[in-house]
Amino acid sequence: GSIVRATGLVKTHRPEGAAPVHAVRGVDLSVERGEFVAVTGPSGAGKSTLLHLLAGLVRPDSGTIELDGRRIDTLSEARRAMLRRRHIGVVFQFFNLVSNLTVADNVELPALLAGRSPKQARADRTELLEELGLAAKEKRTPGELSGGEQQRVALARALVNAPSLLLADEPAGSLDSKGTREVLRLLGRFHQRGQTILLVTHDARMAGAADRVISFFDGQVADDVHLDGGRPGA
Ligand code: ADP
Ligand code: ADP
């Protein structure tokens, strides 16, 4: 079945003292288990808003969102936060690490918040940091790391609870070409292992790493293509 299923999603931003912005204007979308989907399109198309909706960070004005078959759009903020912690990993362009915590603590924190024992959290953190080549940096703070390293820490943090879905919002947007290649390589590796990934990017080269590309334009899905040439559901 689908990991994510959204129907009729609508989200209008209503900034104070400014005109409303119709960011997402009627979107139907399903992501199947194990898919690596890129959502691409120009700046302002509504990609980030869509990702925030799917992450449960904001609530749609109308429409439904199911994660693993359960409605999340109708849940309270507290319940959505719990669900996010356990089932969704998110990485952002600017990493959003806790600057005064060590790398190790940044990665362990979500595991502890999700109710893992300290021992289990430590074991999961150690395994991921080793896998991501960061074992030697675990006592550092984020400010002592390069951008690429910080994004790898953010990836470890997003994956520590083995989420059903990894959401990545322009994860290479503030990295150089080396960091970009590294992020792509890691996303590819986790995908090979069965991780479901939804990547938001305006970068065609990054989108090309996915096996399905959804083109977003003006708050709507303009195209939805499997890169082997087929179309989902066709
Ligand atoms: P706060 O959360 O304190 O309102 P924000 O920085 O999120 O502060 O938002 C400040 C203002 O800018 C708000 O009116 C918000 O709706 C608007 N805003 C936030 N993000 C964006 C964006 N990406 N594009 C346009 N307006 C935005
Ligand atoms: P993209 O990720 O494709 O660049 P966004 O979802 O960030 O698109 O933005 C879609 C539209 O909604 C843009 O016009 C943007 O300025 C606006 N927007 C995004 N977030 C907010 C917000 N919090 N408040 C007001 N406007 C926003």
Side-chain angles (χ1 to χ4, degrees):
S2 307
I3 294 269
V4 179
R5 211 174 117 74
T7 60
L9 276 192
V10 173
K11 179 66 187 178
T12 299
H13 296 293
R14 301 187 181 280
E16 255 174 76
V21 180
H22 301 284
V24 170
R25 305 189 304 128
V27 167
D28 299 322
L29 171 71
S30 292
V31 176
E32 302 304 314
R33 194 171 303 278
E35 270 191 317
F36 182 178
V37 181
V39 175
T40 191
S43 176
K47 306 181 297 295
S48 284
T49 302
L50 176 69
L51 181 138
H52 286 102
L53 287 165
L54 298 179
L57 290 165
V58 297
R59 238 199 259 251
D61 298 319
S62 58
T64 65
I65 305 170
E66 284 170 27
L67 181 68
D68 275 332
R70 276 170 302 182
R71 286 282 292 271
I72 62 166
D73 54 285
T74 48
L75 300 177
S76 68
E77 174 51 41
R79 301 273 325 265
R80 275 184 292 144
M82 172 138 32
L83 205 80
R84 262 202 312 277
R85 219 169 264 147
R86 299 229 170 112
H87 301 285
I88 301 177
V90 193
V91 293
F92 300 98
Q93 177 174 358
F94 297 108
F95 326 133
N96 296 11
L97 297 167
V98 183
S99 61
N100 59 347
L101 290 183
T102 64
V103 164
D105 289 342
N106 265 281
V107 177
E108 271 182 45
L109 188 60
L112 295 170
L113 290 172
R116 299 279 198 284
S117 71
K119 193 175 163 198
Q120 185 66 53
R122 200 159 53 239
D124 292 347
R125 168 262 280 178
T126 301
E127 186 184 325
L128 266 169
L129 287 180
E130 268 170 22
E131 153 132 52
L132 294 174
L134 290 163
K137 311 273 171 154
E138 66 176 26
K139 298 297 178 217
R140 308 283 183 88
T141 55
E144 299 173 303
L145 304 183
S146 71
E149 288 168 336
Q150 288 185 61
Q151 193 58 296
R152 277 187 279 152
V153 175
L155 206 49
R157 178 182 60 177
L159 292 170
V160 73
N161 288 330
S164 307
L165 176 65
L166 176 68
L167 297 169
D169 193 355
E170 299 283 4
S174 56
L175 301 180
D176 59 15
S177 58
K178 178 160 166 277
T180 301
R181 277 198 304 276
E182 183 65 16
V183 165
L184 275 176
R185 190 177 69 77
L186 290 169
L187 291 178
R189 191 203 289 178
F190 287 108
H191 172 232
Q192 291 296 318
R193 247 185 252 168
Q195 178 69 55
T196 309
I197 303 173
L198 188 142
L199 163 71
V200 161
T201 180
H202 67 273
D203 181 333
R205 200 169 59 109
M206 286 208 78
D211 43 34
R212 176 180 168 198
V213 178
I214 294 174
S215 302
F216 221 64
F217 191 75
D218 201 12
Q220 295 184 310
V221 174
D223 207 0
D224 187 345
V225 180
H226 279 285
L227 289 188
D228 60 16
R231 266 168 197 275

